[in-house]
Amino acid sequence: MAEAHQAVAFQFTVTPDGIDLRLSHQALSEIYLSGVRSWKKRIIRVKNRVISGVYPASPSSWLFVVIAILATMYTRSDPSMGLIAKIQEHLPVSQMSTQCQAVVSAVVFSTMLWLLLIFTMRLCLKQLLSYHRWMFEQHGKMSTTTKIWVALVRIFSGRKPLLYSYQGSLPNLPVPAVKDTVKRYLESVRPLVDDAEYERTNKLAAEFESSLGKRLQWYLKLKALWASNYVSDWWEEYVYLRGRSPIMVNSNYYGMDFQYVTPTPIQAARAGNTIHAFFLYRRKLNKEEIKPSRVPGTVIPLCSAQCERIYNTTRIPGEETDSVQHWEDSDYIAVYHRGRYFRLRVYQAGRILSPREIEFQIQRILDDPVPPAKGEAKLGALTAGERIAWAKARREYFSSGVNKRSLDCIERAAFFVALDDDERGMMADNSPEGLDRYAKSLLHGNCYDRWFDKSFTVVYYKNGKSGINAEHSWADAPVVAHVWEYVLAADSFQLGYNEEGHCKGEVDSSLPPPQKLSWEIPSECQEQISRSLAVAQALADDVDFHVFSFREFGKGKIKKCRVSPDAFVQMALQLAYFRDRGTFCLTYEASMTRLFREGRTETVRSCSSESSAFVRALEGGEPADVCRRLFRAASEKHQQLYRMAMTGAGIDRHLFCLYVVSKYLGVDSPFLKEVLSVPWRLSTSQTPVQQAELFDLVNYPEYISCGGGFGPVADDGYGVSYMFLAENMINFHISCKHSCSDTDAHVFGGKIRAALHDLLHLLDPVYKEPNKERSIAEVKKDK
């Protein structure tokens, strides 16, 4: 219990001579430094709020306006047109001299003028950011209007914006017209149904549009006027937080480590560097020193609201709905190893522990021989099972006493760390099953060695590999990917390791050891843990995963064919699915709506009449020129759908919100019920590289990530995530369920490979499919 004594600032005993008070100077020093750090953060937060609040102006511009107005007073001119005199008449202080009153009145007028200028500039910037026609122009052919618009955006954007500087200037997500959404919906389902079914759907849609749709739309427009975003809060609540099934596999997603290299084979050292890098990122986040995300290759900012909950955030289970709890700060992480939970403080004397010190502390946990308490080892299974069962167990067994204190420690931690005894990643023999097992381990592990409720869990394996598992309700994958990219780059290119593979630096041997959390888990709770584990284990065992690198070509060769790489892969997926199942299906591709304030995602319905016509023509043996023409039309249609989704003209979020309104009003809509009941049998997502400048792929081409993935959305469908790496590689993560006899991740992966080759051969007839995959050495040589 040494760590408990260190947490006590003073001790006292009662003697015949009085009270003997003994102070712990070390503990008092820690309290003082902790308070100083807290106040520094508050001051920085207030300062940043002021800077962001007056953006695109700066606080110093106020002084410029004041000086300019005061200067005009000495030239006997009145730029205020009498307002300064009016302000002087109504000043409450009469003891001032006339000259002093005039100066005060001028300062008041200058401040009012400055605030008016800020409001005007922000309004202008908001109007400029509402212009989206640039996105629909041909690549490399910018109109004069767009050129002028770009220049104005640069002018009104100011200099050196902070992370949240643009938040007040981002436009609100527009509400599309019901008739436009219904029209686009009917277009999207046309290739999926026969004529009779389409006619029936058309009648349902027409009836909805002419009657109930108008009423629901009125309420939705009212919400759009009041709320910053008419979709996001309902999307978070009803799609994520009200889901009662396990979030493991069904909701959480993962990100992988470098594919070909492991910076160090020492587990504790890898944890030391990357945990330190996570806290460096959090410090930059708190100071808002991270640059606002932008649309790649443009000056257009994206919403940064999701960044606020990266750290110190946990999903709290409830019987009807969960909630997302975020705390202002946390100076420690929660660590799991061999059934034990530990609290590891990452700050000492007001500073972040060095990577070497964190490695030292992690090694202490790895070497700790203390066995887990009764019921502790598989406690995390509660977060992997049904949400209602976890909510009831939390209320009954973790609402007071030692269990509550330990649970609070986990939930308030900056993030969660899992130390695995397994070895994962691409093994020395390059066996394809290695990446498959790696993906499954990150997605669900043993179903009890991750804390699935935390905003994210970082996993460290025995061979030095790492990965991340993220909860989905608080933010989308690009936000987590941004952190992960920074951590991987800082680990390898900034912090580094010594010759023995340990973190650099020295160790303060007086560091208090990590604190093991205590639990008192009754037998009834242990039974519930076992039931939750059984549910989670059945779900995990049913997941079939296949991860592979497609190394024959990448976005470089695709661009030479004058085709969008994303559209190319989406057409390949349509072709692969048709060959796999002999039909088409409703296809989901995730698109962002972060061009708007508090925007999250929208759906691109990749299966269109154009894509299905192309696939049928290619499979039907139509001439190559006909197939090429149909492919071009399909890829252009896909790009059009993607752009419309990004600019607020998507289908699914609008229909979803109309459905929510109908439920609030207590009315049923057969049309909306049918729309939301059709499963997404092909759910896809691209994982873009957001910070390519952090990685030196010229000198270190092997430092590329495997990307990440997610579980299948439908029981009889596929989940496909893909990532373009450099110019010559595409990584795919494919998931499905063993319980469905019609799906097989490895078979579907093979069909995707064949479809990619066939499409490139169609566009580039001289292209010949290689007999085998190129070696890693050949890939490095190309780069």
Side-chain angles (χ1 to χ4, degrees):
M1 295 297 289
E3 67 279 356
H5 288 296
Q6 291 171 359
V8 179
F10 65 91
Q11 302 174 25
F12 68 91
T13 56
V14 180
T15 68
D17 299 324
I19 297 177
D20 180 17
L21 186 66
R22 287 170 291 172
L23 296 176
S24 169
H25 294 287
Q26 181 181 358
L28 289 176
S29 176
E30 284 296 322
I31 292 171
Y32 168 75
L33 291 171
S34 177
V36 169
R37 174 172 161 268
S38 178
W39 276 104
K40 282 183 178 179
K41 288 189 65 176
R42 292 180 185 179
I43 293 171
I44 291 172
R45 195 175 294 121
V46 170
K47 184 194 74 172
N48 288 339
R49 283 174 181 171
V50 171
I51 294 173
S52 297
V54 302
Y55 191 83
S58 64
S60 60
S61 63
W62 171 81
L63 186 60
F64 175 80
V65 174
V66 170
I67 293 173
I69 295 298
L70 290 174
T72 60
M73 295 177 64
Y74 289 98
T75 62
R76 303 290 183 178
S77 60
D78 185 9
S80 70
M81 294 180 291
L83 282 176
I84 293 178
K86 288 285 187 184
I87 295 172
Q88 187 172 347
E89 290 176 7
H90 293 84
L91 281 179
V93 181
S94 59
Q95 297 175 350
M96 290 183 182
S97 64
T98 303
Q99 187 176 6
C100 187
Q101 290 181 12
V103 171
V104 172
S105 300
V107 171
V108 172
F109 170 77
S110 301
T111 303
M112 293 170 59
L113 178 62
W114 179 65
L115 293 174
L116 180 62
L117 289 173
I118 291 172
F119 176 78
T120 304
M121 291 178 67
R122 181 170 290 188
L123 186 62
C124 290
L125 183 57
K126 191 170 187 175
Q127 291 301 314
L128 287 170
L129 295 179
S130 299
Y131 172 84
H132 297 127
R133 196 175 302 170
W134 61 273
M135 194 175 292
F136 296 88
E137 295 178 352
Q138 289 186 1
H139 183 69
K141 295 183 179 180
M142 188 182 295
S143 66
T144 303
T145 303
T146 300
K147 290 178 181 177
I148 296 172
W149 168 76
V150 170
L152 290 173
V153 169
R154 291 183 185 275
I155 292 172
F156 282 94
S157 290
R159 296 177 59 191
K160 296 182 180 179
L162 299 177
L163 177 61
Y164 302 118
S165 291
Y166 287 106
Q167 292 303 103
S169 301
L170 291 173
N172 290 1
L173 183 68
V175 182
V178 173
K179 65 175 182 179
D180 293 338
T181 298
V182 168
K183 179 183 177 182
R184 287 192 285 267
Y185 170 77
L186 291 173
E187 288 178 359
S188 72
V189 299
R190 188 63 190 94
L192 306 176
V193 296
D194 56 27
D195 292 343
E197 182 65 16
Y198 180 74
E199 186 62 30
R200 185 190 67 81
T201 304
N202 204 345
K203 289 181 179 179
L204 279 177
E207 181 182 350
F208 171 78
E209 180 185 337
S210 62
S211 56
L212 182 60
K214 294 180 179 180
R215 182 185 173 193
L216 301 180
Q217 180 79 346
W218 186 87
Y219 283 96
L220 210 55
K221 285 186 174 181
L222 187 63
K223 184 191 177 187
L225 289 173
W226 177 254
S228 300
N229 190 296
Y230 79 92
V231 175
S232 294
D233 59 337
W234 284 351
W235 186 254
E236 179 178 308
E237 174 73 15
Y238 295 107
V239 172
Y240 294 117
L241 298 179
R242 283 189 180 258
R244 302 294 81 197
S245 59
I247 60 176
M248 184 199 77
V249 174
N250 293 324
S251 179
N252 286 31
Y253 54 93
Y254 67 86
M256 286 183 169
D257 197 355
F258 292 122
Q259 184 163 345
Y260 298 125
V261 295
T262 305
T264 177
I266 302 174
Q267 184 179 21
R270 191 72 195 286
N273 260 8
T274 52
I275 290 172
H276 182 82
F278 271 113
F279 278 89
L280 290 179
Y281 187 94
R282 190 178 75 164
R283 185 167 64 186
K284 291 169 71 72
L285 187 70
N286 290 338
K287 293 182 178 181
E288 298 187 31
E289 293 175 349
I290 297 170
K291 294 179 180 179
S293 297
R294 301 179 187 273
V295 176
T298 74
V299 297
I300 312 305
L302 301 175
C303 179
S304 301
Q306 296 178 51
C307 298
E308 296 174 354
R309 299 190 290 184
I310 294 176
Y311 296 89
N312 328 315
T313 299
T314 300
R315 176 170 173 163
I316 306 296
E319 294 188 33
E320 292 186 3
T321 181
D322 293 353
S323 60
V324 176
Q325 183 71 48
H326 172 73
W327 289 269
E328 283 292 330
D329 193 19
S330 179
D331 63 355
Y332 67 91
I333 56 174
V335 182
Y336 176 92
H337 178 242
R338 292 184 180 175
R340 295 92 44 83
Y341 292 86
F342 295 85
R343 170 177 173 162
L344 195 164
R345 298 182 71 91
V346 187
Y347 282 82
Q348 174 77 3
R351 63 173 179 84
I352 304 175
L353 295 184
S354 70
R356 185 71 182 90
E357 289 171 327
I358 298 175
E359 176 189 351
F360 176 72
Q361 296 290 68
I362 291 291
Q363 193 62 51
R364 278 178 158 179
I365 294 175
L366 292 172
D367 296 339
D368 192 323
V370 177
K374 191 174 183 181
E376 178 184 10
K378 299 180 180 180
L379 175 64
L382 290 172
T383 69
E386 300 286 347
R387 302 305 292 176
I388 295 177
W390 172 209
K392 290 180 178 179
R394 187 177 189 275
R395 185 189 69 244
E396 188 168 351
Y397 306 113
F398 299 90
S399 59
S400 63
V402 65
N403 287 350
K404 183 181 188 306
R405 290 193 294 273
S406 294
L407 180 61
D408 283 347
C409 183
I410 293 175
E411 293 180 339
R412 292 171 180 264
F415 53 90
F416 192 82
V417 166
L419 302 174
D420 274 22
D421 287 335
D422 296 326
E423 296 186 355
R424 290 288 181 246
M426 182 174 280
M427 299 294 114
D429 59 358
N430 288 338
S431 61
E433 293 79 11
L435 289 178
D436 300 347
R437 290 191 291 267
Y438 184 20
K440 282 180 66 68
S441 176
L442 288 176
L443 185 65
H444 54 68
N446 292 323
C447 303
Y448 56 79
D449 50 358
R450 316 277 184 262
W451 200 267
F452 294 100
D453 288 353
K454 285 298 292 181
S455 55
F456 63 92
T457 295
V458 191
V459 184
Y460 297 100
Y461 296 100
K462 190 175 182 178
N463 60 340
K465 275 293 180 186
S466 65
I468 193 168
N469 177 291
E471 201 276 315
H472 209 162
S473 65
W474 63 273
D476 300 307
V479 176
V480 176
H482 196 277
V483 186
W484 190 232
E485 287 175 6
Y486 174 88
V487 168
L488 291 180
D491 171 32
S492 300
F493 302 118
Q494 295 179 28
L495 302 175
Y497 301 88
N498 62 25
E499 294 180 355
E500 290 79 25
H502 293 284
C503 297
K504 298 176 181 178
E506 302 297 328
V507 178
D508 180 0
S509 57
S510 66
L511 288 173
Q515 176 188 355
K516 184 183 180 302
L517 302 185
S518 300
W519 307 90
E520 294 176 358
I521 302 176
S523 58
E524 296 84 359
C525 183
Q526 294 177 40
E527 292 174 3
Q528 180 55 58
I529 292 172
S530 298
R531 288 193 293 269
S532 293
L533 180 59
V535 171
Q537 195 66 60
L539 180 60
D541 291 343
D542 196 23
V543 176
D544 180 21
F545 242 104
H546 180 41
V547 180
F548 70 92
S549 294
F550 183 82
R551 300 195 287 263
E552 282 80 352
F553 60 84
K555 65 180 180 181
K557 187 173 284 292
I558 295 172
K559 287 179 179 178
K560 289 180 180 179
C561 298
R562 294 181 291 115
V563 177
S564 159
D566 183 70
F568 184 93
V569 171
Q570 286 293 326
M571 294 307 106
L573 293 175
Q574 291 298 312
L575 178 59
Y577 189 88
F578 185 81
R579 289 172 172 176
D580 185 59
R581 302 291 288 273
T583 185
F584 299 102
C585 72
L586 194 60
T587 305
Y588 182 112
E589 182 186 5
S591 165
M592 67 172 181
T593 56
R594 290 171 64 197
L595 287 169
F596 304 95
R597 191 170 183 178
E598 297 180 15
R600 291 200 58 164
T601 61
E602 177 59 276
T603 304
V604 180
R605 294 183 167 226
S606 300
C607 182
S608 62
S609 296
E610 289 80 358
S611 66
S612 60
F614 158 69
V615 170
R616 291 188 187 280
L618 187 66
E619 292 301 279
E622 295 289 335
D625 57 338
V626 174
C627 292
R628 275 193 291 272
R629 177 175 53 81
L630 292 173
F631 175 84
R632 298 280 180 192
S635 61
E636 289 172 6
K637 178 66 174 182
H638 178 267
Q639 285 183 276
Q640 178 76 3
L641 292 173
Y642 201 101
R643 291 162 180 159
M644 292 177 70
M646 283 186 65
T647 54
I651 300 169
D652 291 276
R653 300 302 179 269
H654 185 202
L655 293 177
F656 161 77
C657 287
L658 291 172
Y659 179 78
V660 173
V661 174
S662 72
K663 288 301 177 184
Y664 276 126
L665 297 178
V667 295
D668 286 329
S669 168
F671 172 71
L672 291 176
K673 187 178 294 185
E674 184 170 304
V675 169
L676 272 71
S677 63
V678 181
W680 301 95
R681 291 192 171 87
L682 187 56
S683 181
T684 71
S685 178
Q686 182 194 160
T687 306
V689 178
Q690 303 174 71
Q691 305 169 88
E693 70 278 2
L694 296 179
F695 301 91
D696 185 2
L697 294 180
V698 175
N699 297 313
Y700 304 97
E702 67 275 18
Y703 281 82
I704 54 178
S705 171
C706 288
F710 51 89
V713 174
D715 291 338
D716 57 348
Y718 293 103
V720 181
S721 174
Y722 53 95
M723 183 179 190
F724 295 98
L725 296 164
E727 296 293 306
N728 303 302
M729 185 184 298
I730 313 172
N731 274 1
F732 287 89
H733 299 246
I734 305 169
S735 63
C736 63
K737 292 192 175 183
H738 290 295
S739 56
C740 178
S741 59
D742 295 329
T743 58
D744 186 298
H746 290 76
V747 171
F748 193 56
K751 294 185 184 298
I752 291 175
R753 290 174 184 269
L756 291 169
H757 285 300
D758 292 346
L759 290 188
L760 188 61
H761 182 68
L762 176 69
L763 300 178
D764 183 7
V766 300
Y767 171 77
K768 300 297 181 183
E769 179 180 347
N771 294 325
K772 62 181 181 63
E773 286 191 1
R774 295 181 298 163
S775 66
I776 298 173
E778 291 173 320
V779 175
K780 294 180 182 178
K781 185 178 178 181
D782 284 350
K783 296 176 182 177

